[in-house]
Amino acid sequence: GDAVEAMCKAVHNLVRVLKNPQAVDLSDPNAKYLMEVLPPKVTATAAKLLEDAVVGRGGDQLEWDERLGRLLQTLADLCGSRLHPGARSLTHYVFGNVLRKRRKNEEAREQLVLADRAAWNGGRGERDLVSLSAIPDVIANQALDLGGAAPPELWVEAISAAREALGATPRNHRMHPSV
C-alpha cells in the first residue's frame, strides 16, 4: 500500500525529469547518473516492489499498483536500451498481473505477451514461462466475463495459448524474468 504509493510518486517525479531534460544542468556531475544510470535501477526496483506488493490482493485494492504499473511502462520506454531485457520483461509481467487481478483482461493479455517478447529478445533470450502460463487464464477470464456471449474462438485461443506455454522447452524459457 504505502510503499507502492511512495514509489509511484518517486517514479512520477523521475519520469517528469526525463521528459524535460532541458531542466537538468548537464554540467552537474550527477546529471549523467540521474539521466542514464538511475532510471534503469529505479525501474527494476519498482517492478520487484510491485511484484511483491500485489500478492494476496486484488480488485480496487490495486489502484495505486495499477498507477505504478503504468508509470513503469513510461519509465521503461524512457530507459530504452539501457534497461536489461529481463527487467523490461518484468515490468510488463507485473503490470499484466495487476491488470489481470483488476479484471482488465484485454490489457493484461497485451502486457503478458509483451513480457514474453521482451524476455525472448528476438531469440537472443529465453521465453518467459510465468507470463506465457498466465495468458490462457486471462483469455479464459475474458470468456467467462462474456458468459454465453463468448465466441467459441476465445476458448480455442485459450487452449492454443496454453499449448504454447507448455511447448516452451526448458532450453528456451526462464521460470521468471531475472533482473
Side-chain angles (χ1 to χ4, degrees):
D2 292 345
V4 170
E5 189 175 340
M7 182 61 84
C8 201
K9 291 173 182 174
V11 170
H12 174 74
N13 288 334
L14 184 55
V15 165
R16 276 198 0 229
V17 168
L18 293 173
K19 283 187 169 183
N20 190 17
Q22 60 274 21
V24 176
D25 177 8
L26 297 176
S27 65
D28 182 336
N30 294 320
K32 181 178 168 79
Y33 181 81
L34 173 69
M35 299 300 284
E36 294 177 18
V37 179
L38 186 62
K41 288 183 178 191
V42 170
T43 303
T45 302
K48 187 65 182 140
L49 169 82
L50 188 55
E51 180 181 37
D52 295 341
V54 302
V55 174
R57 297 170 49 232
D60 290 340
Q61 295 175 318
L62 299 176
E63 187 178 331
W64 277 101
D65 306 70
E66 183 178 343
R67 286 183 193 174
L68 180 55
R70 290 191 193 287
L71 281 169
L72 272 179
Q73 299 314 303
T74 303
L75 183 56
D77 289 344
L78 291 168
C79 289
S81 63
R82 290 188 311 275
L83 187 61
H84 183 277
R88 179 61 176 175
S89 175
L90 184 60
T91 66
H92 287 301
Y93 165 72
V94 296
F95 185 39
N97 194 35
V98 168
L99 293 168
R100 179 185 66 79
K101 288 178 165 227
R102 295 208 70 191
R103 304 292 282 193
K104 296 183 177 183
N105 296 313
E106 191 62 44
E107 216 180 341
R109 182 175 167 189
E110 289 170 21
Q111 289 300 317
L112 294 167
V113 167
L114 288 171
D116 177 52
R117 200 172 293 154
W120 186 231
N121 194 20
R124 292 182 297 279
E126 301 169 328
R127 301 299 301 267
D128 177 1
L129 194 56
V130 173
S131 295
L132 280 173
S133 62
I135 293 169
D137 291 340
V138 171
I139 299 170
N141 284 340
Q142 278 180 278
L144 290 170
D145 288 349
L146 292 171
E153 299 83 46
L154 211 49
W155 292 108
V156 171
E157 216 173 314
I159 292 165
S160 175
R163 282 192 179 125
E164 184 179 354
L166 289 171
T169 64
R171 214 176 53 255
N172 72 358
H173 81 270
R174 69 172 116 239
M175 284 306 293
H176 203 274
S178 58
V179 178

